[in-house]
Amino acid sequence: MPLPLEVPPIEDEVTLARYPFLPQSAPWIQKLTHKEGIDIDMLIDSDFMEDSRRRGRLRLIESIANEGGVDAMAMRDIHTPEGRLLEAISFTYARMVACACEQDIILSKWAQAEAERAERLLTADTATIEKVAMTYLSEVRKKDEALIGDGAVKGGVVWEIGMTDFIELVPGITGPRWRLANQDLKRGWITLNEEVNYSSQAKLARLLRQRIKDKILNDARMKAENFNDELILRLSEATTMVVGLLQHKSDENLELTGAQVDDWPPCMKKAIAELDQGVNVNHFGRLFLASMASTIGLPPENCVEFFHNAPDFNSETTAYQVSHVYDREYTPAGCAKLKLNARCAVQPGEDRLCDQPWMDHPLKYLRAKQRSRIRYDEGEEKKNESADDNSESRDGS
């Protein structure tokens, strides 16, 4: 379902600065930059803009290095004109640098982090969430009071959204509470009921996060198409820092266990790499990765690490699900099932070991790689011992 054709007006500058990705914020930011005389040259080079550039770089660093997205509390006091200017322009600068990196993974991570920041803010922002919801959802409305079990919560609000919006948004969210069969559905409306530890507003904010990320990412991709070589070169210092940090973080994540990563089968590496890039790996792929990690003896906490960049990552939920797989000792799927569920990582001819007629399971791949590595290590050890013996003979003669 497309976004609403008309969005509710937002005049409050604090709100526009707090959520600079809103379509209502774009004309305000444009007016603000015109008033302050800020153009691209000034944004990139002027000392006056250094605070905004620093905050923009921080937004990108946090999107790559930290869990849970951009720090919502790191912003300046947006109730002052200076704070609003800093927050709005830092978002614009961060987007420029992310686009200039020319790597979709960086755009995706940044959009994900900004959306997670928005979710945290919206969970508590009772004054604004309705207008934000009306901006991104075609059908949304609220009731007057929230219910937990049989008792009413005075002053609470229960939100409802249209079934079409719900169906479009939940594929990116895991967990039984988001399955359509478990929803309170009446006449095309789904009620986001209150739970003891999960409010109706928090559920709405979680759904909005999906739509916000998609909108931020699509807008950034469109802007990136208009970047020329000169602009990319002028931003090279910032982009080099961001790309380098991403590479360091990826290497760090891949070496989490200290195990022989080179022994891992390509289907396992594919699942890890996709999750690291923020790809929403399907349930089969996630179960396969967790069962492989369990079978080869990786600690559960290291398995949880693989999922940190997943679009729907929640540390408690992931830890619980991983623990379930470890406790049940699931056997990893074989090659045939991996191919059937689009989780095979190679085509014929791309990996000689995978092309062997007897290769029908990832664990066989891992054992074959281990045996080959052990034979190689033993051969190198014998060569070294022989070299030492020859050296001692020459010394003795």
Side-chain angles (χ1 to χ4, degrees):
M1 179 175 288
L3 296 175
L5 296 177
E6 295 185 7
V7 297
I10 299 177
E11 303 294 338
D12 179 37
E13 293 188 359
V14 171
T15 299
L16 297 173
R18 182 176 285 127
Y19 306 105
F21 52 81
L22 288 170
Q24 297 93 324
S25 295
W28 171 72
I29 294 175
Q30 186 177 17
K31 180 180 178 181
L32 186 65
T33 54
H34 179 74
K35 177 183 177 182
E36 299 293 336
I38 301 171
D39 56 16
I40 290 181
D41 292 335
M42 186 176 182
L43 179 56
I44 296 176
D45 299 320
S46 171
D47 291 340
F48 176 65
M49 289 283 98
E50 179 54 32
D51 281 351
S52 292
R53 290 195 295 269
R54 186 181 298 113
R55 169 66 175 148
R57 291 192 295 268
L58 180 61
R59 294 176 95 117
L60 285 167
I61 290 171
E62 290 177 339
S63 70
I64 295 171
N66 292 356
E67 301 171 17
V70 174
D71 185 0
M73 299 299 108
M75 68 177 73
R76 287 273 185 91
D77 182 3
I78 57 176
H79 293 278
T80 66
E82 296 78 14
R84 292 194 290 272
L85 176 67
L86 177 71
E87 199 63 19
I89 302 304
S90 69
F91 175 85
T92 302
Y93 181 75
R95 182 175 58 196
M96 284 178 58
V97 174
C99 290
C101 287
E102 299 184 288
Q103 292 193 28
D104 200 61
I105 178 179
I106 290 175
L107 284 179
S108 181
K109 282 179 173 292
W110 169 69
Q112 175 70 21
E114 291 287 350
E116 289 178 1
R117 167 188 174 274
E119 178 192 1
R120 292 197 303 277
L121 290 170
L122 289 168
T123 296
D125 194 348
T126 56
T128 306
I129 190 169
E130 183 172 15
K131 287 189 175 182
V132 175
M134 292 172 65
T135 299
Y136 291 107
L137 301 176
S138 297
E139 293 182 313
V140 60
R141 66 189 185 188
K142 61 182 178 181
K143 294 182 177 180
D144 292 332
E145 63 177 14
L147 298 177
I148 299 179
D150 296 328
V153 179
K154 294 182 179 179
V157 172
V158 165
W159 291 92
E160 297 178 314
I161 76 167
M163 183 176 67
T164 304
D165 281 308
F166 185 87
I167 291 173
E168 284 191 356
L169 294 171
V170 293
I173 312 176
T174 60
R177 68 158 50 91
W178 299 106
R179 294 173 185 166
L180 184 60
N182 296 333
Q183 304 309 311
D184 182 357
L185 173 62
K186 294 179 181 178
R187 298 180 180 178
W189 288 89
I190 288 177
T191 302
L192 304 177
N193 288 314
E194 290 268 331
E195 297 178 31
V196 174
N197 295 316
Y198 205 3
S199 70
S200 181
Q201 179 161 326
K203 291 181 179 180
L204 179 60
R206 180 64 185 89
L207 291 168
L208 286 170
R209 178 179 123 188
Q210 297 298 112
R211 190 61 57 80
I212 289 169
K213 178 195 173 181
D214 291 343
K215 189 65 170 62
I216 292 175
L217 184 56
N218 291 336
D219 286 349
R221 283 170 175 165
M222 291 178 61
K223 291 183 181 297
E225 293 177 357
N226 297 322
F227 273 47
N228 55 40
D229 292 341
E230 179 186 356
L231 181 55
I232 291 172
L233 183 61
R234 294 179 66 185
L235 293 165
S236 60
E237 183 177 351
T239 58
T240 299
M241 178 270 295
V242 173
V243 172
L245 177 62
L246 175 65
Q247 184 61 51
H248 173 76
K249 191 67 176 178
S250 297
D251 293 343
E252 185 182 81
N253 287 344
L254 198 58
E255 299 293 345
L256 279 171
T257 65
Q260 294 286 349
V261 177
D262 288 341
D263 295 340
W264 295 353
C267 44
M268 182 178 179
K269 290 182 178 179
K270 174 186 177 181
I272 294 170
E274 288 181 344
L275 287 166
D276 186 56
Q277 294 169 16
V279 174
N280 189 32
V281 173
N282 62 25
H283 173 73
F284 183 89
R286 296 181 185 215
L287 178 60
F288 165 72
L289 177 57
S291 59
M292 277 293 297
S294 172
T295 301
I296 67 178
L298 298 183
E301 57 270 22
N302 287 349
C303 180
V304 172
E305 289 286 338
F306 292 141
F307 296 90
H308 268 165
N309 285 334
D312 54 354
F313 177 75
N314 177 281
S315 57
E316 293 183 2
T317 302
T318 303
Y320 171 80
Q321 293 170 340
V322 166
S323 176
H324 178 78
V325 173
Y326 274 59
D327 291 343
R328 296 293 183 92
E329 298 182 351
Y330 281 85
T331 301
C335 295
K337 287 187 177 180
L338 286 165
K339 292 176 181 177
L340 184 64
N341 288 274
R343 297 308 311 165
C344 181
V346 298
Q347 297 293 327
E350 292 180 348
D351 189 307
R352 186 172 62 180
L353 189 53
C354 287
D355 288 337
Q356 300 302 313
W358 49 267
M359 181 57 67
D360 59 4
H361 200 283
L363 291 176
K364 288 187 178 180
Y365 184 102
L366 187 143
R367 294 188 187 105
K369 293 283 283 187
Q370 286 179 322
R371 287 195 296 269
S372 177
R373 175 172 50 80
I374 291 171
R375 287 196 298 268
Y376 176 81
D377 290 344
E378 290 175 345
E380 289 297 302
E381 185 176 348
K382 289 180 180 179
K383 285 182 182 180
N384 292 334
E385 290 176 353
S386 177
D388 292 340
D389 290 342
N390 291 335
S391 176
E392 290 175 2
S393 293
R394 287 194 298 271
D395 293 342
S397 63

Short mmCIF file of all heavy atoms in Angstrom, two decimals, residues 214-255:
data_model
loop_
_atom_site.label_atom_id
_atom_site.label_comp_id
_atom_site.label_asym_id
_atom_site.label_seq_id
_atom_site.Cartn_x
_atom_site.Cartn_y
_atom_site.Cartn_z
N ASP A 214 12.56 2.25 5.44
CA ASP A 214 12.40 2.13 3.98
C ASP A 214 12.39 3.50 3.32
O ASP A 214 13.00 3.70 2.26
CB ASP A 214 11.11 1.38 3.65
CG ASP A 214 11.18 -0.10 4.04
OD1 ASP A 214 12.30 -0.60 4.25
OD2 ASP A 214 10.12 -0.74 4.14
N LYS A 215 11.70 4.46 3.93
CA LYS A 215 11.60 5.80 3.34
C LYS A 215 12.96 6.50 3.37
O LYS A 215 13.38 7.12 2.38
CB LYS A 215 10.57 6.62 4.11
CG LYS A 215 10.23 7.95 3.44
CD LYS A 215 9.54 7.76 2.10
CE LYS A 215 8.97 9.05 1.54
NZ LYS A 215 9.99 10.07 1.28
N ILE A 216 13.67 6.44 4.49
CA ILE A 216 15.00 7.06 4.59
C ILE A 216 15.94 6.45 3.57
O ILE A 216 16.68 7.15 2.87
CB ILE A 216 15.57 6.88 6.01
CG1 ILE A 216 14.78 7.71 7.02
CG2 ILE A 216 17.05 7.29 6.05
CD1 ILE A 216 15.22 7.51 8.46
N LEU A 217 15.91 5.13 3.45
CA LEU A 217 16.82 4.42 2.55
C LEU A 217 16.51 4.75 1.09
O LEU A 217 17.42 5.04 0.29
CB LEU A 217 16.71 2.91 2.78
CG LEU A 217 17.66 2.02 1.98
CD1 LEU A 217 19.11 2.42 2.20
CD2 LEU A 217 17.45 0.55 2.35
N ASN A 218 15.25 4.74 0.73
CA ASN A 218 14.88 5.04 -0.67
C ASN A 218 15.22 6.48 -1.04
O ASN A 218 15.71 6.75 -2.15
CB ASN A 218 13.38 4.77 -0.87
CG ASN A 218 13.04 3.29 -0.82
OD1 ASN A 218 13.90 2.45 -1.07
ND2 ASN A 218 11.81 2.97 -0.49
N ASP A 219 14.97 7.41 -0.12
CA ASP A 219 15.32 8.81 -0.39
C ASP A 219 16.82 8.98 -0.57
O ASP A 219 17.28 9.70 -1.47
CB ASP A 219 14.84 9.70 0.76
CG ASP A 219 13.34 9.90 0.76
OD1 ASP A 219 12.70 9.52 -0.24
OD2 ASP A 219 12.80 10.43 1.76
N ALA A 220 17.61 8.30 0.26
CA ALA A 220 19.06 8.40 0.17
C ALA A 220 19.57 7.80 -1.14
O ALA A 220 20.49 8.34 -1.77
CB ALA A 220 19.71 7.71 1.37
N ARG A 221 19.01 6.69 -1.54
CA ARG A 221 19.44 6.06 -2.80
C ARG A 221 19.16 6.98 -3.99
O ARG A 221 19.98 7.07 -4.92
CB ARG A 221 18.72 4.73 -2.99
CG ARG A 221 19.27 3.60 -2.13
CD ARG A 221 18.38 2.38 -2.18
NE ARG A 221 18.96 1.24 -1.46
CZ ARG A 221 18.28 0.16 -1.12
NH1 ARG A 221 16.98 0.07 -1.41
NH2 ARG A 221 18.88 -0.82 -0.48
N MET A 222 18.03 7.66 -3.96
CA MET A 222 17.71 8.60 -5.04
C MET A 222 18.69 9.77 -5.06
O MET A 222 19.15 10.19 -6.12
CB MET A 222 16.27 9.11 -4.88
CG MET A 222 15.21 8.06 -5.14
SD MET A 222 13.53 8.68 -4.87
CE MET A 222 13.47 9.99 -6.08
N LYS A 223 19.04 10.28 -3.90
CA LYS A 223 19.99 11.38 -3.83
C LYS A 223 21.39 10.94 -4.26
O LYS A 223 22.13 11.71 -4.88
CB LYS A 223 20.02 11.96 -2.41
CG LYS A 223 18.75 12.69 -2.03
CD LYS A 223 18.84 13.32 -0.65
CE LYS A 223 17.54 14.02 -0.29
NZ LYS A 223 17.22 15.15 -1.19
N ALA A 224 21.75 9.71 -3.93
CA ALA A 224 23.09 9.20 -4.28
C ALA A 224 23.29 9.15 -5.79
O ALA A 224 24.41 9.29 -6.28
CB ALA A 224 23.29 7.82 -3.67
N GLU A 225 22.21 8.95 -6.53
CA GLU A 225 22.31 8.89 -7.99
C GLU A 225 22.76 10.22 -8.59
O GLU A 225 23.32 10.25 -9.70
CB GLU A 225 20.96 8.48 -8.59
CG GLU A 225 20.55 7.05 -8.25
CD GLU A 225 19.18 6.70 -8.81
OE1 GLU A 225 18.55 7.61 -9.41
OE2 GLU A 225 18.73 5.55 -8.64
N ASN A 226 22.56 11.31 -7.87
CA ASN A 226 22.92 12.64 -8.38
C ASN A 226 24.28 13.12 -7.89
O ASN A 226 24.67 14.25 -8.18
CB ASN A 226 21.84 13.65 -7.96
CG ASN A 226 20.48 13.33 -8.56
OD1 ASN A 226 20.39 12.91 -9.71
ND2 ASN A 226 19.43 13.52 -7.78
N PHE A 227 25.01 12.28 -7.15
CA PHE A 227 26.32 12.67 -6.66
C PHE A 227 27.34 12.57 -7.80
O PHE A 227 27.43 11.55 -8.47
CB PHE A 227 26.75 11.77 -5.50
CG PHE A 227 26.28 12.26 -4.15
CD1 PHE A 227 24.97 12.66 -3.96
CD2 PHE A 227 27.15 12.32 -3.07
CE1 PHE A 227 24.52 13.11 -2.74
CE2 PHE A 227 26.71 12.77 -1.84
CZ PHE A 227 25.40 13.17 -1.67
N ASN A 228 28.12 13.63 -7.99
CA ASN A 228 29.16 13.59 -9.01
C ASN A 228 30.52 13.31 -8.37
O ASN A 228 30.68 13.32 -7.15
CB ASN A 228 29.21 14.91 -9.81
CG ASN A 228 29.39 16.13 -8.91
OD1 ASN A 228 30.15 16.10 -7.94
ND2 ASN A 228 28.69 17.21 -9.22
N ASP A 229 31.53 13.07 -9.21
CA ASP A 229 32.85 12.70 -8.70
C ASP A 229 33.47 13.79 -7.85
O ASP A 229 34.18 13.51 -6.87
CB ASP A 229 33.78 12.37 -9.88
CG ASP A 229 33.35 11.10 -10.62
OD1 ASP A 229 32.60 10.31 -10.01
OD2 ASP A 229 33.76 10.91 -11.78
N GLU A 230 33.21 15.03 -8.21
CA GLU A 230 33.79 16.14 -7.46
C GLU A 230 33.27 16.17 -6.02
O GLU A 230 34.04 16.33 -5.07
CB GLU A 230 33.47 17.48 -8.14
CG GLU A 230 34.04 18.69 -7.40
CD GLU A 230 33.61 20.01 -8.01
OE1 GLU A 230 32.93 19.99 -9.06
OE2 GLU A 230 33.93 21.06 -7.43
N LEU A 231 31.96 15.99 -5.86
CA LEU A 231 31.38 16.01 -4.52
C LEU A 231 31.87 14.82 -3.71
O LEU A 231 32.19 14.95 -2.52
CB LEU A 231 29.86 16.00 -4.62
CG LEU A 231 29.08 16.04 -3.30
CD1 LEU A 231 29.49 17.24 -2.46
CD2 LEU A 231 27.58 16.05 -3.55
N ILE A 232 31.94 13.67 -4.34
CA ILE A 232 32.43 12.47 -3.65
C ILE A 232 33.87 12.68 -3.19
O ILE A 232 34.25 12.29 -2.07
CB ILE A 232 32.32 11.24 -4.58
CG1 ILE A 232 30.83 10.89 -4.80
CG2 ILE A 232 33.05 10.04 -3.99
CD1 ILE A 232 30.60 9.83 -5.84
N LEU A 233 34.69 13.31 -4.03
CA LEU A 233 36.09 13.56 -3.67
C LEU A 233 36.18 14.53 -2.49
O LEU A 233 37.01 14.34 -1.59
CB LEU A 233 36.83 14.13 -4.88
CG LEU A 233 38.34 14.39 -4.70
CD1 LEU A 233 39.06 13.08 -4.38
CD2 LEU A 233 38.92 15.03 -5.94
N ARG A 234 35.35 15.54 -2.47
CA ARG A 234 35.38 16.52 -1.39
C ARG A 234 34.98 15.90 -0.04
O ARG A 234 35.37 16.41 1.02
CB ARG A 234 34.48 17.70 -1.72
CG ARG A 234 34.94 18.52 -2.90
CD ARG A 234 33.99 19.66 -3.20
NE ARG A 234 33.97 20.64 -2.11
CZ ARG A 234 33.15 21.68 -2.08
NH1 ARG A 234 32.26 21.85 -3.05
NH2 ARG A 234 33.20 22.54 -1.07
N LEU A 235 34.22 14.84 -0.09
CA LEU A 235 33.78 14.17 1.13
C LEU A 235 34.64 12.96 1.46
O LEU A 235 34.31 12.17 2.36
CB LEU A 235 32.32 13.74 1.00
CG LEU A 235 31.28 14.87 0.93
CD1 LEU A 235 29.94 14.33 0.44
CD2 LEU A 235 31.12 15.53 2.29
N SER A 236 35.75 12.79 0.75
CA SER A 236 36.55 11.56 0.84
C SER A 236 37.13 11.32 2.24
O SER A 236 37.27 10.17 2.67
CB SER A 236 37.67 11.59 -0.19
OG SER A 236 38.53 12.70 0.03
N GLU A 237 37.48 12.39 2.95
CA GLU A 237 38.05 12.20 4.30
C GLU A 237 37.03 11.52 5.22
O GLU A 237 37.35 10.57 5.94
CB GLU A 237 38.48 13.53 4.89
CG GLU A 237 39.14 13.40 6.26
CD GLU A 237 39.62 14.73 6.81
OE1 GLU A 237 39.60 15.73 6.07
OE2 GLU A 237 40.03 14.76 7.99
N ALA A 238 35.80 12.01 5.16
CA ALA A 238 34.75 11.43 6.00
C ALA A 238 34.38 10.03 5.53
O ALA A 238 34.17 9.11 6.35
CB ALA A 238 33.52 12.33 6.01
N THR A 239 34.28 9.82 4.21
CA THR A 239 33.88 8.50 3.71
C THR A 239 34.96 7.46 3.99
O THR A 239 34.64 6.30 4.28
CB THR A 239 33.60 8.55 2.20
OG1 THR A 239 34.76 9.01 1.50
CG2 THR A 239 32.43 9.46 1.90
N THR A 240 36.23 7.84 3.94
CA THR A 240 37.31 6.90 4.24
C THR A 240 37.20 6.41 5.67
O THR A 240 37.40 5.23 5.96
CB THR A 240 38.68 7.57 4.01
OG1 THR A 240 38.79 7.95 2.64
CG2 THR A 240 39.81 6.61 4.35
N MET A 241 36.88 7.33 6.57
CA MET A 241 36.71 6.96 7.97
C MET A 241 35.56 5.98 8.15
O MET A 241 35.69 4.96 8.84
CB MET A 241 36.48 8.22 8.80
CG MET A 241 36.24 7.99 10.29
SD MET A 241 34.48 7.75 10.70
CE MET A 241 33.82 9.36 10.30
N VAL A 242 34.44 6.25 7.49
CA VAL A 242 33.26 5.40 7.66
C VAL A 242 33.48 4.02 7.04
O VAL A 242 33.18 2.99 7.66
CB VAL A 242 32.03 6.08 7.02
CG1 VAL A 242 30.83 5.13 7.03
CG2 VAL A 242 31.69 7.36 7.76
N VAL A 243 34.04 3.97 5.83
CA VAL A 243 34.28 2.69 5.16
C VAL A 243 35.30 1.87 5.96
O VAL A 243 35.16 0.65 6.11
CB VAL A 243 34.77 2.91 3.72
CG1 VAL A 243 35.21 1.59 3.09
CG2 VAL A 243 33.67 3.55 2.88
N GLY A 244 36.34 2.53 6.47
CA GLY A 244 37.33 1.83 7.28
C GLY A 244 36.74 1.25 8.54
O GLY A 244 37.07 0.12 8.93
N LEU A 245 35.87 1.99 9.19
CA LEU A 245 35.21 1.50 10.40
C LEU A 245 34.33 0.30 10.09
O LEU A 245 34.31 -0.68 10.84
CB LEU A 245 34.37 2.61 11.02
CG LEU A 245 33.56 2.24 12.26
CD1 LEU A 245 34.47 1.79 13.39
CD2 LEU A 245 32.69 3.41 12.71
N LEU A 246 33.61 0.35 8.97
CA LEU A 246 32.76 -0.76 8.58
C LEU A 246 33.60 -2.02 8.35
O LEU A 246 33.24 -3.12 8.80
CB LEU A 246 31.99 -0.42 7.30
CG LEU A 246 31.15 -1.55 6.72
CD1 LEU A 246 30.02 -1.94 7.65
CD2 LEU A 246 30.59 -1.15 5.35
N GLN A 247 34.73 -1.88 7.66
CA GLN A 247 35.59 -3.03 7.39
C GLN A 247 36.14 -3.61 8.69
O GLN A 247 36.17 -4.83 8.89
CB GLN A 247 36.75 -2.62 6.48
CG GLN A 247 37.65 -3.78 6.07
CD GLN A 247 36.88 -4.85 5.30
OE1 GLN A 247 36.19 -4.56 4.34
NE2 GLN A 247 36.99 -6.10 5.74
N HIS A 248 36.56 -2.73 9.59
CA HIS A 248 37.08 -3.20 10.88
C HIS A 248 36.01 -3.94 11.67
O HIS A 248 36.28 -4.99 12.26
CB HIS A 248 37.59 -2.00 11.68
CG HIS A 248 38.00 -2.35 13.09
ND1 HIS A 248 39.19 -3.01 13.38
CD2 HIS A 248 37.38 -2.15 14.29
CE1 HIS A 248 39.28 -3.20 14.68
NE2 HIS A 248 38.20 -2.68 15.25
N LYS A 249 34.80 -3.39 11.67
CA LYS A 249 33.72 -4.03 12.41
C LYS A 249 33.36 -5.37 11.82
O LYS A 249 33.11 -6.34 12.55
CB LYS A 249 32.49 -3.11 12.41
CG LYS A 249 31.38 -3.54 13.35
CD LYS A 249 31.80 -3.43 14.79
CE LYS A 249 30.65 -3.77 15.73
NZ LYS A 249 31.06 -3.72 17.15
N SER A 250 33.36 -5.48 10.50
CA SER A 250 33.04 -6.75 9.84
C SER A 250 34.09 -7.80 10.17
O SER A 250 33.76 -8.96 10.46
CB SER A 250 32.94 -6.54 8.33
OG SER A 250 31.89 -5.66 8.00
N ASP A 251 35.35 -7.41 10.12
CA ASP A 251 36.43 -8.35 10.45
C ASP A 251 36.33 -8.79 11.90
O ASP A 251 36.52 -9.96 12.23
CB ASP A 251 37.79 -7.70 10.21
CG ASP A 251 38.05 -7.44 8.73
OD1 ASP A 251 37.35 -8.03 7.89
OD2 ASP A 251 38.95 -6.64 8.42
N GLU A 252 36.00 -7.84 12.77
CA GLU A 252 35.88 -8.13 14.19
C GLU A 252 34.75 -9.11 14.44
O GLU A 252 34.90 -10.07 15.21
CB GLU A 252 35.63 -6.83 14.94
CG GLU A 252 35.60 -6.96 16.44
CD GLU A 252 35.30 -5.63 17.10
OE1 GLU A 252 34.11 -5.24 17.16
OE2 GLU A 252 36.26 -4.96 17.53
N ASN A 253 33.62 -8.91 13.79
CA ASN A 253 32.48 -9.81 13.98
C ASN A 253 32.77 -11.20 13.45
O ASN A 253 32.37 -12.20 14.04
CB ASN A 253 31.25 -9.24 13.26
CG ASN A 253 30.67 -8.06 14.00
OD1 ASN A 253 30.97 -7.84 15.15
ND2 ASN A 253 29.84 -7.29 13.31
N LEU A 254 33.48 -11.28 12.32
CA LEU A 254 33.73 -12.57 11.71
C LEU A 254 34.69 -13.41 12.54
O LEU A 254 34.65 -14.63 12.53
CB LEU A 254 34.31 -12.37 10.30
CG LEU A 254 34.26 -13.57 9.36
CD1 LEU A 254 32.82 -14.04 9.18
CD2 LEU A 254 34.87 -13.24 8.02
N GLU A 255 35.57 -12.73 13.30
CA GLU A 255 36.55 -13.44 14.10
C GLU A 255 36.10 -13.60 15.55
O GLU A 255 36.93 -13.84 16.43
CB GLU A 255 37.89 -12.69 14.06
CG GLU A 255 38.49 -12.56 12.67
CD GLU A 255 38.94 -13.88 12.08
OE1 GLU A 255 39.04 -14.86 12.85
OE2 GLU A 255 39.17 -13.94 10.88
#
